[in-house]
Amino acid sequence: MDERARHALNVLLTGADRAAAGVRTRTPALTESHLSEYRKLRSLEAKESFEATLKDARSQGAIELRWDDHDQSGFIKRVNLLDIARLAAFLGQPTAASVVAEASFSLQPHIERFPVVAEVLQAWQKLKKVRGLAANEVGMWVDAVAVVDFARANTEVERVDLPLRVASARLFNDSKRIERLHAPIDVLLLGAIDAVPRDSSDVWRELGLFREEQPARLAGQVVVKRERIAACLDIPYSGLAPATILGLDSRPSAVLSIENQTNFHIEARAGYDKDVLLIYSAGMPSPAWRKMYTTMLRDIPVGTPVLHWGDVDEGGFRIAARIAREAANSGHTLRPWKMSPDDIPESLRRAAKASTLTRMKHYAEEAGWGELGEKVAAAGVTVEQEALV
C-alpha cells in the first residue's frame, strides 16, 4: 500500500469517525487541498502508486473517486467516503465507534458501582479523552476498578494501610502497575470526569496505600493511650503511627480535624497547651487514620464539639463528608469550622462551575450540613484553605 495514499485515507477515516460521533457536520471527503501533495507529484510511478491504492479501496466499496477529467488520465480531485466500516477494514484498523463499543462492553458491568464510568463512555463516544486516556486504553480503567475493589476489600474491614508496591505486586504481579493507574483511579474515586485532578499521594491515601508510611499528626494538651504508654502530646505536635493509638486518657474540650498542613502547623503552635485535640487529616484520610479517629472519639463524651476545618471547595467538602461519617459511627456529629462562604473575603473568592457547586452541595448534605450546602451553592464560589491564613 502506498504510504502517501495510506496517510490520506487515514485522514478520511478520522473525518468519518468525527462525523459518526457527531462532532463534525461536513460530509467526510478528501478535497484538492487534502490531495495537494499527491497532485504535486512529478513522478509517474509515484502518481500511479498513489492512485492504485485508492483504486483498491474503491474496489472494496469504501470510497468514490472523482477525477479532473473523464478518462482518468489526470489527477484525482476528490475522494468521497462510501462506507466507513469498509474503509477501516481496508486500512486494517477499527473505527472509533467499534473501539468505544468494545470499551463499553468491558466497562458496562462496573457502571452500577462506579456511575462515573457512564460519563467516561459518553466522552469517548464524542472522541474526547478522559484524563488523557482514549477508548483504546480501556484496559487501564478495568485495572483501576480492580485496584479500588482490592484496596477496599483489604482496608475497609481491618483498616490497615498497605504498601503501594506490595499491593500492586499482589494484584498484577507487577509492583509498579498501580502507580501508572493514578488518573483513572482518581476519576473513579471522585465520581466525576470534570473534578479537579489530585496528586497521586492523595489518591493512594484514600485507598489506604502508601509509598512511605506517614505518622498521624496530633496536637494539644491531651493524653493519648498507646500500646506501650499513655502520655501527653508533645510540643508543638506529635507524629504517631495510627495503628498504635488505643484511645484517650483525658477529655479534650473539643476536637478539630484540619485538612491543610500549613494551617495545622499554625494551630498546633498556637494551641499545644490547650485541651483541644487537633488532628491533621492530610487531605482525604486513610482507612488507618479513620480507625484511629473513631477510636479516639469513642473516649469523648457525646456533646463535646467535634469540628472540621477544610477547603471551601469540592475536595474539601468531600473530605468533610467522609470524616462526618466516621464521627457519626462514633456517636458524634461533625460541625464545620471556618467553611462558610461568609468566611471568605471577596478578594479571595473564585467562581465555581455549576457542576462543581452541585457536587459541593451534595457533599455538604452528606456531611449533615444542608444549610451550609445551600449557602455554598448560592455563593457560587470556592477558595482554598491556605488563602484564609
Side-chain angles (χ1 to χ4, degrees):
M1 186 181 295
D2 183 88
E3 284 305 312
R4 291 187 183 89
R6 174 188 286 277
H7 174 73
L9 291 176
N10 272 319
V11 170
L12 179 60
L13 180 59
T14 298
D17 281 332
R18 290 175 61 81
V23 296
R24 65 172 285 175
T25 56
R26 288 181 297 171
T27 302
L30 297 178
T31 62
E32 288 188 36
S33 62
H34 295 110
L35 299 169
S36 60
E37 184 179 348
Y38 147 73
R39 292 174 65 86
K40 292 176 183 176
L41 292 174
R42 293 297 175 260
S43 164
L44 179 61
E45 182 180 0
K47 176 179 180 293
E48 290 178 341
S49 175
F50 184 98
E51 292 169 356
T53 295
L54 267 61
K55 288 176 181 177
D56 284 346
R58 181 181 62 181
S59 70
Q60 298 296 318
I63 59 174
E64 174 193 39
L65 302 180
R66 293 186 181 177
W67 301 74
D68 287 334
D69 44 40
H70 294 295
D71 62 5
Q72 300 183 10
S73 60
F75 286 89
I76 297 169
K77 67 176 181 180
R78 185 179 178 90
V79 180
N80 292 323
L81 175 73
L82 294 180
D83 190 308
I84 185 175
R86 291 184 179 183
L87 177 59
F90 178 77
L91 292 171
Q93 60 191 66
T95 63
S98 66
V99 173
V100 173
E102 288 186 15
S104 180
F105 179 80
S106 298
L107 291 178
Q108 201 70 35
H110 308 298
I111 290 180
E112 185 175 350
R113 289 182 304 116
F114 300 97
V116 70
V117 166
E119 289 186 50
V120 174
L121 293 174
Q122 288 168 6
W124 286 344
Q125 286 166 359
K126 297 176 182 177
L127 304 186
K128 295 179 180 178
K129 293 183 177 181
V130 178
R131 295 288 187 93
L133 299 174
N136 60 0
E137 297 169 286
V138 65
M140 294 187 69
W141 292 85
V142 173
D143 284 355
V145 168
V147 171
V148 175
D149 288 342
F150 173 85
R152 287 175 174 171
N154 280 273
T155 61
E156 285 299 317
V157 177
E158 295 298 327
R159 300 202 190 189
V160 176
D161 297 347
L162 297 172
L164 178 63
R165 292 194 172 179
V166 169
S168 187
R170 282 188 200 171
L171 188 56
F172 299 114
N173 200 28
D174 177 349
S175 64
K176 297 181 181 180
R177 176 61 175 167
I178 291 180
E179 293 173 70
R180 296 192 288 270
L181 302 174
H182 155 235
I185 291 173
D186 192 28
V187 172
L188 293 177
L189 295 176
L190 292 175
I193 63 174
D194 63 341
V196 177
R198 297 180 294 174
D199 185 77
S200 60
S201 60
D202 293 326
V203 177
W204 310 144
R205 188 182 302 111
E206 179 172 351
L207 288 175
L209 304 174
F210 59 85
R211 284 197 183 92
E212 296 180 2
E213 191 167 11
Q214 298 294 320
R217 301 179 208 179
L218 306 97
Q221 194 166 333
V222 179
V223 178
V224 176
K225 290 186 294 186
R226 301 176 63 204
E227 291 186 351
R228 292 187 176 182
I229 191 173
C232 189
L233 294 171
D234 208 344
I235 297 173
Y237 65 85
S238 294
L240 308 173
T244 67
I245 295 177
L246 305 180
L248 300 178
D249 240 2
S250 65
R251 298 294 174 263
S253 61
V255 177
L256 173 62
S257 52
I258 303 175
E259 174 188 343
N260 177 264
Q261 180 174 242
T262 299
N263 285 355
F264 171 78
H265 286 161
I266 291 172
E267 293 298 315
R269 285 193 295 270
Y272 62 78
D273 58 350
K274 300 175 183 176
D275 67 345
V276 174
L277 176 59
L278 304 174
I279 314 172
Y280 172 47
S281 78
M284 177 63 76
S286 73
W289 187 100
R290 299 198 301 265
K291 181 179 181 181
M292 172 200 73
Y293 182 72
T294 56
T295 296
M296 292 190 295
L297 287 190
R298 290 191 181 107
D299 284 340
I300 297 173
V302 174
T304 301
V306 178
L307 310 167
H308 177 71
W309 185 13
D311 290 350
V312 186
D313 62 13
E314 180 182 341
F317 278 96
R318 182 170 178 269
I319 291 165
R322 192 68 185 86
I323 294 176
R325 199 179 315 159
E326 301 300 339
N329 290 339
S330 304
H332 295 273
T333 299
L334 189 70
R335 299 298 181 196
W337 195 61
K338 293 186 179 181
M339 292 185 68
S340 169
D342 295 340
D343 297 318
I344 307 172
E346 288 288 341
S347 61
L348 300 178
R349 298 186 177 197
R350 293 181 298 149
K353 295 187 296 184
S355 58
T356 298
L357 293 170
T358 297
R359 290 192 293 269
M360 289 174 68
K361 182 174 180 289
H362 166 75
Y363 290 130
E365 291 170 347
E366 242 188 55
W369 306 341
E371 185 177 341
L372 178 56
E374 294 287 350
K375 185 176 288 189
V376 166
V381 298
T382 66
V383 67
E384 288 192 355
Q385 202 180 52
E386 293 96 322
L388 299 176
V389 176

